[in-house]
Amino acid sequence: MTTTKTKQLTILALMTAVLIIFAFTPIGSIPIGPLVISLNVIPMAICAIALGPVGGAIAGAIFGLLSFLQCFGIGVPSGMGAILVGINPILAFIQRFVPRLLDGFLLGYIFRALHKHNTYMACAVTGFFSAFLNTLFFMTALVVLFGNTSYMQELMGGKNVLVFICTFVGVNAVVEMLASTIISAAVGTALFKAKMISVQ
């Protein structure tokens, strides 16, 4: 039991370090227009695979907190985040933090539900949903919390909400999902084969 806990804490520490590196260097963020392709969803998926819902939630919370700090120029600056903080810092925190926390928490259950069938497939699907749910929750919170602001109205340009979300995230979301699926599947499966993690 002690060995298992040690391995879990090691993985959590390593993924936290990766999240911090991604947040404070350009490595984890590939800017395209007003949005960025974020690789932070990958360590969040790995934590959910290795540690379950609690581990996923912790990684999601760290991701969300770092994302909020970027709104203030701490780490890789977020232009959109800076504008949202200027409109309402409390809502900006909710929009940046809660979606990632919820995403990581749900990923743990997604992996556990699928793992009994096939480990590689479960890791791949968890990686896919890490990016998919991040985009879904992030954009939903953006529209719900800031949809009536002049900033969002200008971005939406009179488009239907669903059309706006699809066109706004576009290629970014597809690349995130593809990268997260492939890398999470490879890393998660490798950790299982190395007996670094096991599902209780």
Side-chain angles (χ1 to χ4, degrees):
M1 179 65 71
T2 302
T3 303
T4 300
K5 289 293 183 184
T6 300
K7 290 179 180 179
Q8 291 177 333
L9 289 174
T10 300
I11 291 171
L12 180 59
L14 287 172
M15 292 302 103
T16 298
V18 171
L19 283 167
I20 293 172
I21 291 170
F22 281 176
F24 283 86
T25 69
I27 298 174
S29 303
I30 305 171
I32 297 181
L35 291 179
V36 296
I37 294 173
S38 174
L39 301 181
N40 287 293
V41 294
I42 297 172
M44 185 167 61
I46 300 304
C47 280
I49 290 168
L51 307 169
V54 174
I58 293 172
I62 294 169
F63 176 17
L65 181 59
L66 291 170
S67 178
F68 181 63
L69 292 177
Q70 289 174 325
C71 298
F72 298 92
I74 300 173
V76 179
S78 169
M80 172 185 280
I83 294 173
L84 297 182
V85 164
I87 296 172
N88 189 316
I90 295 175
L91 292 182
F93 174 77
I94 294 171
Q95 190 264 338
R96 294 271 158 166
F97 183 80
V98 175
R100 278 62 187 263
L101 175 68
L102 182 60
D103 186 4
F105 180 72
L106 293 177
L107 291 176
Y109 285 107
I110 290 172
F111 177 76
R112 286 186 175 179
L114 297 173
H115 174 256
K116 55 189 174 183
H117 301 294
N118 181 285
T119 299
Y120 182 83
M121 181 269 292
C123 292
V125 173
T126 302
F128 169 81
F129 274 103
S130 182
F132 175 78
L133 292 178
N134 178 60
T135 299
L136 177 64
F137 294 160
F138 181 89
M139 291 304 297
T140 299
L142 178 64
V143 171
V144 169
L145 298 176
F146 293 96
N148 62 346
T149 64
S150 57
Y151 170 70
M152 282 301 298
Q153 290 297 316
E154 184 178 340
L155 279 181
M156 293 175 70
K159 296 187 184 78
N160 172 276
V161 172
L162 185 59
V163 173
F164 162 70
I165 291 175
C166 291
T167 55
F168 194 60
V169 298
V171 176
N172 302 47
V174 173
V175 174
E176 272 188 17
M177 291 174 204
L178 184 61
S180 184
T181 299
I182 294 172
I183 297 174
S184 297
V187 174
T189 303
L191 288 173
F192 271 98
K193 288 183 177 179
K195 300 187 184 303
M196 285 293 294
I197 54 177
S198 61
V199 178
Q200 301 301 316

